[in-house]
Amino acid sequence: MKHTTTALLFACAPCVVSSFTNTGIIHVSSTTRRQPLSMPPLKDSLAPLLLHLQEMHDHKDASVKLDAPTTKEESSYMPYDLLPPSDNWVANSTRRLSRIDLQKAITKVKRFVESRLETDLNLFEHTAPIAFKSGTGVNDELDGSESKSPVRFKVPNQFVPRGITPKPLSELSPEEQEEAKRYAMDCEVMQSLAKWKRIMLDRLKVDVGEGIYCSSTSIRKGYKGDVTHSVIADQWDYEIRIKEEDRNVETLKSYVNKIWKIITDAEAWILQEYPSIILDHPTATFRLPKDITFITAEELHAKYPSLDVHGREDAAVQEYGAIFIIGMGWPMNDGSDPEEVRSPAYDDWKLNGDIIVMHPLTGYRHELSSMGIRVDSDSIVAQLKHRGMGDQVDLPYNRAVINNSLPFSYGGGIGISRLLMLLLRTAHIGEVQCGVWHDEHYRMVSGCGIDLIPDRIIDLKSKEDVSDDKAMHP
């Protein structure tokens, strides 16, 4: 989708400013986005740093070994509208913090949020799996499509002496083949802990109002990397036991407000700890709103009838700053597509939703969290039937829900890297997590001041730029 808010992308003083909003976002004419870079008035303490970044910008093309594209026609990998203009390189750069301080800030945010999850939501940390046995219904199937299916692998459970390659099955006798397959397991990489956490609540016999959280990392092979999406998904997964009579919108809103308070407090705290994150930066006055706005998917659809899903969410966060959309999964009353396709077996589609904010650098929608009251025996059957997955009612997990064998619960996930990207004001999710990015991705972002954490050696620099970087990050 071509974002309607591209005029807001990564605005800074070098661009021609048309207006300011009370959120601290600078609106920029799209016809003037790529004007030559000029330096705004700066505090003396920051001027040497930004002047050095200016010098690096002036000769950076010579240091790019991957032949970074300079025109939109040179790459079809990712829409250029998702990237900041290269002439804003100084303001885009996350190097207002050194690479070391950025990692320290990441750790501090994580500790802050985890501490507050424990105190504000009455949670305790639980160890988390990274894979499940296939065919149990416990893994998250996301939207249910094959493209979003989990990474699968086989565990042979055979003893093989070190350094010895086992014979292929075709070379074994029928008896040996049967023995080789006897204890083999088909497994899959965890995509989320939504259902597993509910099983743990039952196993632990937690009290009503008590729950668990896990710091989980999963692989989502079906997602194409861009500035906010990565095949590596990390989140705080949490689950809280509730009573059956608490399965209502009021309970949902109560927990959303508690989580929103943690997020806004985290923003205030980390910006006080590291004021250089926003010092003399165009987003310096931006803060998340104190209160989050609740809106149903139907209300959002009616309010912006001419826009598509992401267009509606963009428009809403531009107006409110932060929203929680209630009711994700069922089609609209007029028969149009749902606000988002959801798995039928964990959230009740009438009692779930997403926290979405406006990111101060990108200027468009930034999803932070999905959450909801979990399915009961009626809603899981109805949702499986709607998705044409009625044959899955007898999967062990689904049957446990239908038989009322699991506790009623409320749960969700808070995107760790998404939240870090917001609070630390980074331009790309790959600046706060180690993702897996295509070479073309590195080419496209390297000229925009985006400093991805690499999973391999990426030769983007000449020797003189390595010296420059050491001067930047002693």
Side-chain angles (χ1 to χ4, degrees):
M1 182 191 79
K2 180 176 174 61
H3 290 279
T4 57
T5 54
T6 53
L8 294 173
L9 286 175
F10 297 90
C12 75
C15 299
V16 177
V17 178
S18 59
S19 65
F20 285 87
T21 71
N22 58 9
T23 61
I25 300 296
I26 298 180
H27 293 250
V28 185
S29 167
S30 60
T31 61
T32 61
R33 277 177 43 184
R34 298 186 179 274
Q35 296 300 311
L37 186 65
S38 60
M39 297 299 294
L42 301 169
K43 289 188 175 77
D44 291 340
S45 61
L46 192 64
L49 169 61
L50 292 188
L51 287 171
H52 182 67
L53 287 173
Q54 172 73 70
E55 292 168 359
M56 292 178 70
H57 169 271
D58 292 341
H59 70 264
K60 67 181 172 61
D61 290 341
S63 69
V64 177
K65 302 303 183 184
L66 289 178
D67 300 322
T70 56
T71 66
K72 293 185 179 181
E73 291 70 31
E74 287 186 47
S75 178
S76 60
Y77 176 80
M78 179 171 58
Y80 270 81
D81 284 342
L82 292 179
L83 294 175
S86 59
D87 59 7
N88 282 354
W89 193 76
V90 167
N92 301 337
S93 177
T94 58
R95 298 185 185 186
R96 296 179 298 281
L97 291 181
S98 73
R99 287 172 176 165
I100 291 174
D101 281 342
L102 181 62
Q103 292 304 309
K104 291 180 178 180
I106 287 171
T107 299
K108 287 185 177 183
V109 171
K110 289 180 177 180
R111 289 174 177 168
F112 181 95
V113 172
E114 290 170 1
S115 174
R116 290 289 297 273
L117 287 174
E118 293 174 4
T119 57
D120 293 24
L121 271 65
N122 194 25
L123 307 179
F124 59 89
E125 186 172 11
H126 195 289
T127 187
I130 62 172
F132 297 116
K133 190 174 184 293
S134 300
T136 65
V138 175
N139 206 1
D140 184 352
E141 65 271 25
L142 301 178
D143 65 8
S145 66
E146 179 57 31
S147 66
K148 300 298 193 299
S149 63
V151 175
R152 297 185 174 95
F153 60 98
K154 185 178 288 291
V155 178
N157 272 327
Q158 296 180 50
F159 173 74
V160 179
R162 277 189 193 176
I164 304 298
T165 302
K167 291 181 180 180
L169 284 176
S170 60
E171 295 182 14
L172 301 178
S173 67
E175 294 78 12
E176 289 173 327
Q177 288 187 30
E178 187 63 30
E179 182 64 24
K181 294 187 290 185
R182 184 177 180 183
Y183 299 110
M185 295 191 304
D186 291 318
C187 300
E188 53 196 45
V189 174
M190 179 270 293
Q191 296 206 117
S192 94
L193 302 177
K195 303 174 189 177
W196 176 85
K197 292 175 298 180
R198 193 171 176 183
I199 296 172
M200 290 303 103
L201 293 187
D202 182 57
R203 178 179 184 269
L204 297 166
K205 306 303 180 188
V206 300
D207 295 331
V208 170
E210 186 180 18
I212 63 172
Y213 76 93
C214 307
S215 180
S216 67
T217 302
S218 60
I219 298 174
R220 306 227 177 139
K221 63 178 177 58
Y223 288 92
K224 183 177 180 180
D226 59 32
V227 296
T228 59
H229 293 90
S230 169
V231 296
I232 307 299
D234 54 347
Q235 59 183 13
W236 289 290
D237 269 299
Y238 62 91
E239 201 79 14
I240 304 166
R241 185 169 189 163
I242 62 173
K243 299 177 183 177
E244 183 176 8
E245 55 264 35
D246 291 331
R247 298 187 71 259
N248 53 57
V249 172
E250 289 69 30
T251 298
L252 176 67
K253 289 182 176 180
S254 172
Y255 280 113
V256 170
N257 282 326
K258 290 179 181 180
I259 291 168
W260 184 245
K261 183 67 163 60
I262 295 173
I263 291 172
T264 54
D265 285 354
E267 179 190 51
W269 180 79
I270 198 63
L271 293 182
Q272 184 176 15
E273 288 286 302
Y274 292 95
S276 58
I277 291 174
I278 54 173
L279 183 63
D280 278 318
H281 195 264
T283 66
T285 61
F286 173 88
R287 296 295 185 276
L288 295 169
K290 179 181 178 182
D291 299 315
I292 193 167
T293 298
F294 291 93
I295 187 168
T296 68
E298 284 290 346
E299 290 168 342
L300 193 65
H301 181 62
K303 186 175 178 66
Y304 308 103
S306 63
L307 300 178
D308 63 12
V309 170
H310 282 184
R312 294 195 291 267
E313 293 170 1
D314 270 341
V317 295
Q318 293 288 342
E319 181 173 352
Y320 301 112
I323 59 172
F324 183 82
I325 304 173
I326 301 173
M328 310 279 270
W330 288 110
M332 299 293 105
N333 289 337
D334 63 6
S336 58
D337 292 339
E339 187 68 20
E340 186 168 279
V341 176
R342 287 294 173 87
S343 167
Y346 56 88
D347 283 345
D348 186 320
W349 292 345
K350 295 179 180 179
L351 297 170
N352 70 344
D354 286 354
I355 292 178
I356 304 176
V357 304
M358 181 173 60
H359 192 287
L361 292 178
T362 67
Y364 52 80
R365 65 179 294 281
H366 190 78
E367 182 184 329
L368 291 178
S369 180
S370 294
M371 62 189 76
I373 291 172
R374 304 311 195 186
V375 288
D376 62 5
S377 56
D378 293 329
S379 56
I380 190 173
V381 172
Q383 290 172 188
L384 284 169
K385 182 179 179 180
H386 172 76
R387 291 293 304 279
M389 300 163 71
D391 59 335
Q392 294 188 14
V393 294
D394 286 324
L395 289 176
Y397 177 85
N398 299 341
R399 179 52 58 187
V401 174
I402 293 170
N403 292 340
N404 294 316
S405 300
L406 295 175
F408 296 103
S409 66
Y410 167 90
I414 303 169
I416 296 175
S417 292
R418 288 280 184 87
L419 183 61
L420 290 168
M421 182 182 170
L422 173 71
L423 301 187
L424 301 180
R425 308 293 196 255
T426 72
H428 194 293
I429 196 169
E431 296 175 287
V432 292
Q433 70 156 231
C434 184
V436 183
W437 311 103
H438 194 278
D439 283 352
E440 183 68 6
H441 201 106
Y442 281 98
R443 288 188 183 99
M444 293 185 70
V445 304
S446 63
C448 302
I450 291 173
D451 188 33
L452 298 183
I453 301 171
D455 69 307
R456 58 194 185 277
I457 296 174
I458 301 294
D459 188 9
L460 287 173
K461 295 182 177 182
S462 66
K463 290 182 179 179
E464 63 177 333
D465 283 325
V466 171
S467 298
D468 285 337
D469 193 62
K470 287 181 178 178
M472 290 284 298
H473 308 289

